[in-house]
Amino acid sequence: MDLLNTLVDKGLRRELPTREEALAVLATSDDELLDVVAAAGKVRRQWFGRRVKLNYLVNLKSGLCPEDCSYCSQRLGSKAEILKYTWLKPEEASKAAAAGVAGGAKRVCLVASGRGPTDRDVDRVSKTIEAIKEENQDVEVCACLGLLSDGQAERLRSAGADAYNHNLNTSEGTYGEITTTHTYADRVDTVQKAHAAGLSACSGLIAGMGESDEDLVDVVFALRELDPDSVPVNFLIPFEGTPLAKEWNLTPQRALRILAMVRFVCPDVEVRLAGGREVHLRTLQPLALHLANSIFLGDYLTSEGQAGKADLEMIADAGFEVEGTDTTTLPGHRTDARDEGSCGTGGGCGSGSVCGPADGAVPVPAEAADAAPADGARPDLVAVRRRGAGTDLAPNA
């Protein structure tokens, strides 16, 4: 296909595709899917080889969020029967993080529900970061605490944080239909604050909320303009008890096309396969590794993920390797540019609650899958997390 050859050439040059080209990727047929994956895979391998970075989520504070994000099981008014607990103590969070690091995680993502942290919360998270770094000096720590006030990003960086996550989630044009308690501009402002403080910015999207192809392209182009170092691609988990519980809009093929489009628009950025991969990609997860160079290991914020051992086996079986702590994730031109305080990409590319990644879920036994309705909905695949952080049970990392 001329389209794919053009997109590969542009990706290898870090050149921005046109909107029409990005939309054309989403419009390809299932018959063309493997060609699309192969083309985007060339771009992924150019910048990241066959390495897969592992990330591990620690939910520091679960539930009872005052924001009304429609996709979130922790939202105001949520009837989802998730774990609810207040702040983990630094030693508890460090212990939870250690499980992910032992499973191979290179980055630990500290997430807390809420609109944004108070200065006291920043102090608390700073102590947690210090506790984690004390035990695991080489691990990266990403904070994900919601909307930041002036000076808070700098304080987190001083405490040892390496990165800050705040997702745009959807296009500016449709954001008000998803959330009313804060704005799209608020989210952009927080990503910019993280950038300005010298933190590695992490910002992504949630697909499957009923958005159009144009919305998906809008948000991914907006992310490229914001220039985060990592772009998590979440797929909506339609939690019972949330307004989007009936939104089952994705097929495995659609999810792969979305990932390919993100890779073409953001060629040299850490594209992370995030929440919902088990639910929507299912047996096609290994194909997604040809598009994304980063995944979450084990469970998510409020839902269960694929077992860590299964993640590692999937990576190995697909012919990829886990990225070590002695390897720099991003290509040299990006790390050099960030050290100098600019994006250096020529317009580079760069959830759960207001602050976090969307939740994922783990497949259940085959007998439950047999009961799935014919319309594509698979509520049987959504399992609430009952282990790990905030419980007495071991995590599945």
Side-chain angles (χ1 to χ4, degrees):
M1 292 174 66
D2 289 342
L3 168 68
L4 296 180
N5 290 333
T6 298
L7 287 170
V8 170
D9 288 344
K10 287 187 173 183
L12 300 183
R13 297 195 304 266
R14 297 184 284 132
E15 182 180 334
L16 180 66
T18 65
R19 286 183 55 85
E20 290 71 25
E21 287 166 343
L23 287 166
V25 172
L26 297 178
T28 53
S29 69
D30 287 351
D31 287 343
E32 299 165 311
L33 182 63
L34 290 181
D35 295 329
V36 172
V37 171
K42 291 180 182 178
V43 178
R44 180 250 200 265
R45 289 191 299 278
Q46 164 72 17
W47 302 113
F48 300 96
R50 302 190 74 83
R51 294 177 283 115
V52 178
K53 180 177 179 178
L54 299 182
N55 309 267
Y56 188 68
L57 284 165
V58 177
N59 197 355
L60 297 178
K61 180 167 73 79
S62 182
L64 306 175
C65 183
E67 303 300 291
D68 68 354
C69 308
S70 300
Y71 50 80
C72 182
S73 60
Q74 304 184 77
R75 73 187 297 273
L76 178 69
S78 171
K79 294 180 173 58
E81 297 181 355
I82 61 168
L83 290 170
K84 297 181 178 68
Y85 53 85
T86 190
W87 291 93
L88 297 181
K89 295 177 181 177
E91 58 269 24
E92 294 172 327
S94 181
K95 182 180 179 181
V101 174
K106 182 176 178 177
R107 172 175 287 190
V108 172
C109 305
L110 302 176
V111 186
S113 62
R115 179 179 178 84
T118 64
D119 286 341
R120 183 183 176 190
D121 294 335
V122 172
D123 288 340
R124 193 190 325 256
V125 175
S126 295
K127 291 176 183 175
T128 298
I129 294 169
E130 290 164 2
I132 291 171
K133 292 273 189 172
E134 210 171 288
E135 295 295 323
N136 302 280
Q137 185 177 353
D138 294 331
V139 74
E140 298 174 6
V141 175
C142 179
C144 180
L145 311 173
L147 302 172
L148 292 174
S149 301
D150 289 344
Q152 290 183 329
E154 287 79 3
R155 290 172 58 197
L156 290 167
R157 188 185 182 202
S158 295
D162 300 283
Y164 196 85
N165 166 263
H166 200 63
N167 296 330
L168 296 187
N169 289 331
T170 192
S171 69
E172 183 175 12
T174 59
Y175 195 84
E177 300 171 18
I178 298 298
T179 304
T180 66
T181 47
H182 61 272
T183 67
Y184 179 90
D186 291 332
R187 287 187 172 269
V188 170
D189 178 68
T190 286
V191 178
Q192 291 172 335
K193 280 185 168 70
H195 254 316
L199 291 167
S200 176
C202 173
S203 187
L205 65 143
I206 304 174
M209 297 190 288
E211 70 283 335
S212 66
D213 285 2
E214 288 76 11
D215 290 322
L216 286 170
V217 170
D218 281 348
V219 68
V220 177
F221 271 58
L223 288 166
R224 167 133 181 172
E225 183 67 25
L226 268 180
D227 191 41
D229 287 327
S230 53
V231 174
V233 181
N234 297 282
F235 301 106
L236 175 72
I237 301 300
F239 259 101
E240 290 297 327
T242 65
L244 298 184
K246 306 303 180 187
E247 295 287 341
W248 289 87
N249 303 307
L250 297 172
T251 63
Q253 295 82 3
R254 169 76 168 168
L256 287 170
R257 281 191 285 270
I258 291 168
L259 284 166
M261 185 269 287
V262 174
R263 175 54 73 196
F264 286 129
V265 177
C266 305
D268 60 340
V269 166
E270 178 188 340
V271 175
R272 186 174 308 143
L273 184 56
R277 63 178 167 96
E278 298 91 339
V279 175
H280 296 294
L281 282 162
R282 301 191 287 276
T283 58
L284 295 192
Q285 286 185 74
L287 279 180
L289 296 177
H290 292 272
L291 309 169
N293 63 293
S294 179
I295 67 170
F296 280 110
L297 180 74
D299 289 334
Y300 299 86
L301 295 177
T302 61
S303 62
E304 293 182 356
Q306 183 167 283
K309 183 174 182 291
D311 287 335
L312 297 176
E313 290 174 348
M314 176 180 73
I315 291 168
D317 288 349
F320 292 86
E321 60 184 18
V322 173
E323 182 176 290
T325 56
D326 58 345
T327 302
T328 302
T329 300
L330 296 172
H333 63 267
R334 285 196 63 88
T335 53
D336 292 345
R338 186 154 61 83
D339 290 342
E340 294 166 6
S342 64
C343 70
T345 62
C349 179
S351 74
S353 64
V354 68
C355 54
D359 292 305
V362 66
V364 295
E367 58 268 22
D370 291 341
D375 62 1
R378 292 294 303 273
D380 55 293
L381 296 183
V382 180
V384 173
R385 179 174 69 84
R386 301 293 183 200
R387 61 196 172 203
T391 77
D392 295 326
L393 300 177
N396 74 337

